[in-house]
């Protein structure tokens, strides 16, 4: 069978190319809106019918086109935006390929009305299936209005491929929403089947988010910004406690263009590592601004995919910036604990309470209590045993041979002079903490794990190692695999506080352990640590350093079943709320569960 190669007739080539740019009505809407933005519009109106299948109209108040430009606009590769290859490297406008209008016109019936502000009269152009039917003068408002009817009328394959009206509508809504987020100063109106869907006035970026997502969601976000020579990153990050099951709204804009880029998304997401439970996702809106030379947006006709010149530094920059923002943000819950002495050191718990958004009422209550304390107490009796425990004692708390014995916690009434809210340990597992608006339940193991994890991470970058020398060194026999792993981690283990001597290939002598290791645990901790490290190998993305810190904190932390004295609980809480991320353990499990009074009232059927 002989084959003949045929050059495609131009109209067919156009139809094929059109399919790449305009896959569905939403893509046409996106291109038309981008053109309006490029034309410096302040106001854009989008009107659709039947999910955009039968009717799309985009009206702007931008520059408009001269009669000459108007008749050229529908020719393929007609663009006013680039003319040289250098321009292509330095793209700052939304469109640049000069194929959007041609592609849309190839597969629909288009009518354009346009007028430059300085011109008296406008131009009307009608195109059907790519052929210009008419160019004439018309009286019209300054700016441009483009109407697209019967999309894909001449490509039934495409048309049949479209989803139901609701689905196509949703895609268009998403396109408009993305533009609305990244261009808060733009007036936008969206009408679908005669119904007003959006009516947005120029505003700040935060206002815009509130209008689009509602007050509640806006409150679950906080703003951040980071600037380096490489790039500027800014936007809004969802607080971890508002993360939802399943993917939520995640927006990434590169030079104000909505983009899909796995690497950026992953970097943002990775920064939330250890903050979220498995399967829950944070909302975020991230704006990246970088020199256009460092990024290639000409990867795909939809211009949504981008490639970076230096993907890995970009990744690290984003990861570090988001991490920093998350840890700098006040993620500490309100804790209604106080010390009896007004001149005692401010503990981390108190600090947490004071800096949290607890409101004036709580602060007044606090003042009242302190005044009462002062009046009721003899001056030299102001320090209770609990107040002696401050962060200074933290390190010794679980390490200097403190035996963990059971002691029933006192229940004190708030009227007792020097009252310090009691803590209760239940089932040698959880600590109940009264707070100013309810109570908090803390998982003691998870809490200590979080404390030790952050301390371990800090140790890796410290120069002086803190180690407890053992009077009786332990000799451990390792498997060949474990010995190899030990070699690989040796540097980090030493930083952590292990003092190890290797004999032969598989014998190791432990003559010092990190100070956080509890008495009785010195002989087994190393082997336990290695075992857990190996188990955690699904987490390939983590650096060995973090994995090691995770394994160590898990194994060295107090366990469920360890009874704690009140002083120990208090110290643990102080340490916990001094960490950067007290809400979740290094494995992402929650550390603290809060139960508010209003929740309790609701459950008991009290209505106030
Ligand atoms: P591109 O945007 O890639 O240049 P398009 O096919 O989308 O290509 O548009 C072709 C040209 O038509 C643009 O370069 C611009 O000069 C002009 N144009 C399109 N839409 C508008 C508009 N809404 N206002 C003013 N000019 C427009
Ligand atoms: Mg364009």
């Amino acid at each position: 069978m002989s084959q003949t190669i045929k050059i495609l007739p131009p109209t067919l080539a156009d139809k094929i190319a059109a399919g790449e740019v305009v896959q569905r009505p939403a893509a046409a809407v996106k291109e038309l809106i981008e053109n309006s933005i490029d034309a410096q519009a302040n106001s854009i109106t989008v009107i659709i019918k039947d999910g955009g299948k039968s009717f799309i109209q985009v009206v702007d108040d931008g520059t408009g086109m001269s009669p000459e430009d108007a008749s050229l606009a529908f020719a393929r590769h007609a663009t006013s935006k680039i003319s040289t290859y250098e321009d292509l490297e330095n793209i700052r406008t939304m469109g640049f390929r000069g194929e959007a209008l041609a592609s849309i016109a190839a597969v629909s019936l288009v009518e354009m009305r346009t007028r430059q502000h300085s011109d008296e009269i406008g131009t009307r152009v009608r195109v059907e299936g790519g052929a210009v039917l008419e160019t004439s003068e018309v009286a019209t408002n300054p700016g441009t209005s483009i109407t697209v009817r019967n999309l894909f009328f001449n490509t039934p394959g495409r048309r049949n491929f479209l989803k139901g009206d609701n689905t196509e509508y949703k895609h268009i809504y998403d396109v408009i929403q993305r533009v609305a987020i990244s261009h808060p100063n733009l007036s936008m109106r969206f009408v679908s089947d005669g119904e007003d869907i959006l009516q947005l006035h120029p505003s700040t970026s935060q206002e815009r988010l509130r209008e689009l997502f509602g007050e509640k969601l806006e409150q679950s976000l906080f703003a951040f910004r980071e600037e380096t020579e490489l790039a500027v990153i800014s936007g809004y990050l969802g607080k971890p406690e508002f993360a939802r099951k399943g993917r939520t709204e995640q927006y990434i804009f590169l030079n104000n263009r909505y983009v899909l880029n796995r690497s950026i998304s992953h970097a943002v997401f990775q920064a939330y590592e250890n903050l979220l439970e498995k399967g829950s996702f944070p909302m975020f809106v991230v704006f990246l601004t970088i020199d256009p030379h460092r990024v290639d947006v000409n990867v795909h006709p939809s211009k949504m995919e981008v490639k970076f010149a230096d993907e890995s530094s970009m990744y690290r920059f984003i990861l570090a910036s988001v991490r920093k923002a998350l840890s700098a943000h006040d993620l500490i819950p309100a804790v209604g604990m106080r010390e009896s002495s007004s001149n005692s050191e401010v503990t981390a718990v108190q600090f947490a309470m004071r800096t949290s958004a607890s409101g004036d009422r709580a602060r007044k209550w606090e003042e009242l209590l302190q005044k009462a304390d002062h009046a009721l107490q003899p001056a030299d009796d102001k320090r209770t045993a609990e107040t002696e425990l401050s962060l200074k004692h933290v390190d010794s708390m679980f390490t200097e041979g403190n035996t963990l014995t059971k002691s029933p916690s006192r229940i004190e009434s708030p009227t007792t002079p020097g009252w310090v809210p009691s803590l209760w340990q239940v089932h040698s597992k959880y600590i109940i903490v009264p707070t100013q608006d309810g109570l908090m339940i803390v998982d003691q193991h998870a809490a200590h794990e979080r404390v030790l994890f952050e301390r371990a991470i800090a140790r890796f970058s410290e120069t002086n190692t803190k180690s407890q020398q053992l009077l009786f060194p332990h000799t451990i026999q390792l498997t060949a695999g474990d010995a190899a792993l030990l070699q690989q981690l040796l540097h980090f283990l030493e930083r952590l506080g292990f003092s190890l001597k290797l004999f032969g290939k598989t014998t190791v002598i432990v003559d010092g352990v990190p100070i956080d290791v509890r008495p009785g645990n010195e002989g087994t901790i190393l082997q336990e640590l290695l075992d857990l490290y190996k188990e955690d190998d699904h987490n390939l993305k983590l650096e060995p350093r973090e994995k090691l810190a995770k394994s160590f904190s898990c194994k060295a932390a107090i366990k469920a079943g360890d009874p704690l004295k009140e002083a120990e609980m208090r110290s643990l809480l102080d340490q916990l709320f001094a960490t950067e991320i007290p809400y979740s353990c290094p494995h992402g499990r929650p550390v603290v569960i809060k139960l508010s009074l209003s929740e309790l009232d609701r459950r008991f059927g009290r209505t106030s």
Side-chain angles (χ1 to χ4, degrees):
M1 200 175 82
S2 75
Q3 289 187 335
T4 37
I5 295 173
K6 283 189 208 134
I7 304 286
L8 293 175
T11 50
L12 181 54
D14 282 356
K15 278 193 207 170
I16 293 170
E20 266 190 67
V21 181
V22 192
Q23 305 96 333
R24 58 183 353 144
V29 171
K30 173 174 175 283
E31 293 295 338
L32 295 174
I33 293 180
E34 288 185 352
N35 280 348
S36 298
I37 292 173
D38 285 344
Q40 276 123 49
N42 293 313
S43 161
I44 299 175
T45 300
V46 180
I47 300 167
I48 63 162
K49 285 183 189 142
D50 309 317
K53 290 176 193 168
S54 63
F55 185 90
I56 297 170
Q57 186 175 37
V58 175
V59 185
D60 69 51
D61 62 352
T63 56
M65 283 170 257
S66 67
E68 299 74 45
D69 284 354
S71 35
L72 264 181
F74 292 94
R76 187 157 294 277
H77 304 305
T79 177
S80 55
K81 296 165 196 172
I82 55 170
S83 51
T84 64
Y85 184 73
E86 282 67 45
D87 287 346
L88 192 58
E89 296 250 285
N90 189 18
I91 292 159
R92 287 171 199 275
T93 51
M94 290 277 180
F96 51 85
R97 300 169 68 112
E99 48 186 18
L101 286 188
S103 299
I104 294 169
V107 292
S108 67
L109 287 73
V110 175
E111 179 178 329
M112 175 169 84
R113 285 157 187 259
T114 186
R115 171 155 82 87
Q116 291 184 311
H117 291 245
S118 54
D119 290 347
E120 301 264 294
I121 192 94
T123 311
R124 180 170 102 129
V125 180
R126 284 198 311 125
V127 189
E128 187 179 316
V132 178
L133 299 182
E134 181 197 335
T135 307
S136 58
E137 290 194 334
V138 72
T140 184
N141 289 330
T144 304
S145 155
I146 295 180
T147 310
V148 178
R149 288 192 174 82
N150 298 344
L151 199 59
F152 306 127
F153 80 99
N154 53 355
T155 50
R158 250 313 136 187
R159 197 172 61 232
N160 295 336
F161 181 75
L162 291 179
K163 298 277 165 27
D165 291 0
N166 280 338
T167 308
E168 296 304 334
Y169 159 81
K170 179 72 175 83
H171 283 287
I172 294 174
Y173 182 88
D174 288 346
V175 162
I176 294 173
Q177 187 171 59
R178 287 166 198 157
V179 174
I181 294 173
S182 53
H183 295 80
N185 49 355
L186 205 60
S187 269
M188 293 190 83
R189 182 162 172 232
F190 176 36
V191 181
S192 170
D193 292 328
E195 199 187 328
D196 250 302
I197 308 291
L198 284 173
Q199 175 90 59
L200 302 165
H201 301 291
S203 60
T204 62
S205 136
Q206 189 145 2
E207 271 295 321
R208 184 55 57 99
L209 286 180
R210 182 175 309 152
E211 272 186 272
L212 291 170
F213 297 116
E215 192 123 345
K216 230 177 161 183
L217 194 56
E218 191 245 2
Q219 279 168 5
S220 70
L221 299 171
F222 66 90
F224 80 111
R225 185 184 171 84
E226 191 71 34
E227 216 173 316
T228 66
E229 271 172 24
L230 178 69
V232 182
I233 185 171
S234 67
Y236 300 86
L237 299 172
K239 297 175 191 167
E241 69 265 33
F242 289 94
R244 302 204 203 132
K245 296 286 165 209
R247 295 257 169 216
T248 52
E249 323 268 351
Q250 305 184 336
Y251 298 91
I252 295 167
F253 299 91
L254 178 72
N255 293 344
N256 240 11
R257 180 199 301 277
Y258 176 82
V259 293
L260 294 171
N261 180 289
R262 266 167 194 272
S263 174
I264 307 180
S265 312
H266 190 269
V268 178
F269 194 66
Q270 186 68 22
Y272 277 88
E273 229 267 318
N274 303 329
L275 277 175
L276 299 171
E277 275 177 81
K278 244 209 182 112
S280 63
F281 297 88
M283 176 184 174
F284 54 76
V285 179
V286 169
F287 299 99
L288 264 176
T289 312
I290 82 170
D291 180 346
H293 288 104
R294 291 174 159 277
V295 56
D296 184 2
V297 284
N298 197 20
V299 182
H300 186 268
S302 73
K303 295 166 286 175
M304 282 227 278
E305 285 166 43
V306 290
K307 264 209 185 101
F308 294 104
D310 189 350
E311 189 105 6
S312 73
S313 17
M314 210 55 210
Y315 185 91
R316 271 174 289 146
F317 166 68
I318 296 166
L319 177 63
S321 310
V322 176
R323 260 198 190 148
K324 185 177 159 197
L326 283 171
S327 59
H329 192 77
D330 183 16
L331 296 170
I332 301 171
V335 188
M337 290 182 57
R338 43 177 283 282
E339 286 176 281
S340 60
S341 173
S342 53
N343 60 0
S344 65
E345 286 181 53
V346 176
T347 65
V349 173
Q350 274 191 315
F351 178 74
M353 181 194 69
R354 284 180 193 165
T355 55
S356 68
S358 48
D360 284 331
R361 207 145 42 97
R363 221 162 291 128
K364 283 210 181 100
W365 175 236
E366 176 77 9
E367 275 167 26
L368 270 178
L369 283 174
Q370 285 197 350
K371 270 192 196 146
D373 283 349
H374 243 31
L376 285 165
Q377 261 187 292
D380 55 352
D381 193 31
K382 276 184 184 164
R383 285 187 157 252
T384 63
E386 282 79 9
T387 62
E388 301 291 340
L389 289 154
S390 69
L391 285 169
K392 276 188 286 179
H393 304 263
V394 155
D395 274 348
S396 58
M397 200 66 240
F398 296 101
T399 56
E400 284 180 353
N402 267 308
T403 44
L404 303 168
T405 53
K406 199 170 218 123
S407 75
S409 292
R410 284 162 298 142
I411 299 174
E412 287 167 315
S413 103
T415 52
T416 312
W419 175 69
V420 175
S422 298
L423 303 172
W424 295 273
Q425 188 191 29
V426 293
H427 297 279
S428 301
K429 203 182 205 177
Y430 298 113
I431 304 170
I432 312 273
V433 189
T435 65
Q436 47 203 357
D437 66 343
L439 59 91
M440 226 167 49
I441 306 166
V442 177
D443 180 321
Q444 65 185 43
H445 170 69
H448 199 205
E449 226 180 357
R450 164 54 64 184
V451 170
L452 295 182
F453 175 75
E454 292 197 6
R455 216 181 287 166
I457 293 286
R459 294 252 153 92
F460 290 137
S461 50
E462 285 166 10
T463 42
N464 61 328
T465 330
K466 296 184 185 100
S467 180
Q468 345 171 17
Q469 288 305 306
L470 300 179
L471 226 45
F472 305 105
H474 293 270
T475 305
I476 299 174
Q477 291 298 333
L478 298 170
T479 63
D482 283 357
L485 180 60
L486 184 84
Q487 280 289 0
Q488 188 195 324
L489 297 175
L490 193 58
H491 172 69
F492 291 124
L493 287 166
E494 284 174 350
R495 275 287 168 92
L496 215 50
F498 281 100
S499 169
L500 306 170
K501 290 202 180 71
L502 291 136
F503 276 95
K505 285 217 155 74
T506 53
T507 307
V508 61
I509 295 179
V510 184
D511 56 15
V513 295
I515 55 167
D516 296 315
V517 173
R518 285 180 301 139
N521 212 3
E522 305 93 341
T524 48
I525 182 88
L526 185 67
Q527 185 65 56
E528 286 178 354
L529 179 60
L530 293 176
D531 288 344
L532 191 61
Y533 188 96
K534 285 182 292 183
E535 255 175 54
D536 199 22
D537 63 358
H538 61 276
N539 226 330
L540 293 170
K541 292 256 160 46
L542 275 189
E543 286 181 53
R545 208 162 51 108
E546 277 178 51
K547 254 174 81 175
L548 184 62
K550 245 165 102 170
S551 313
F552 173 73
S553 60
C554 179
K555 286 303 169 190
I558 50 168
K559 301 267 175 310
D562 289 341
L564 298 178
K565 289 188 207 155
E566 176 150 357
E568 290 165 336
M569 291 191 265
R570 215 167 276 286
S571 165
L572 176 60
L573 291 174
D574 271 355
Q575 296 172 61
L576 175 67
F577 290 110
T579 62
E580 301 211 15
I581 301 160
Y583 272 145
S584 66
C585 82
H587 304 92
R589 282 197 301 114
V591 172
V592 178
I593 290 173
K594 288 193 278 183
L595 199 54
S596 67
L597 271 183
S598 53
E599 172 67 9
L600 284 171
D601 288 347
R602 200 182 59 75
R603 298 238 189 143
F604 282 110
R606 277 175 186 273
T607 44
S608 46

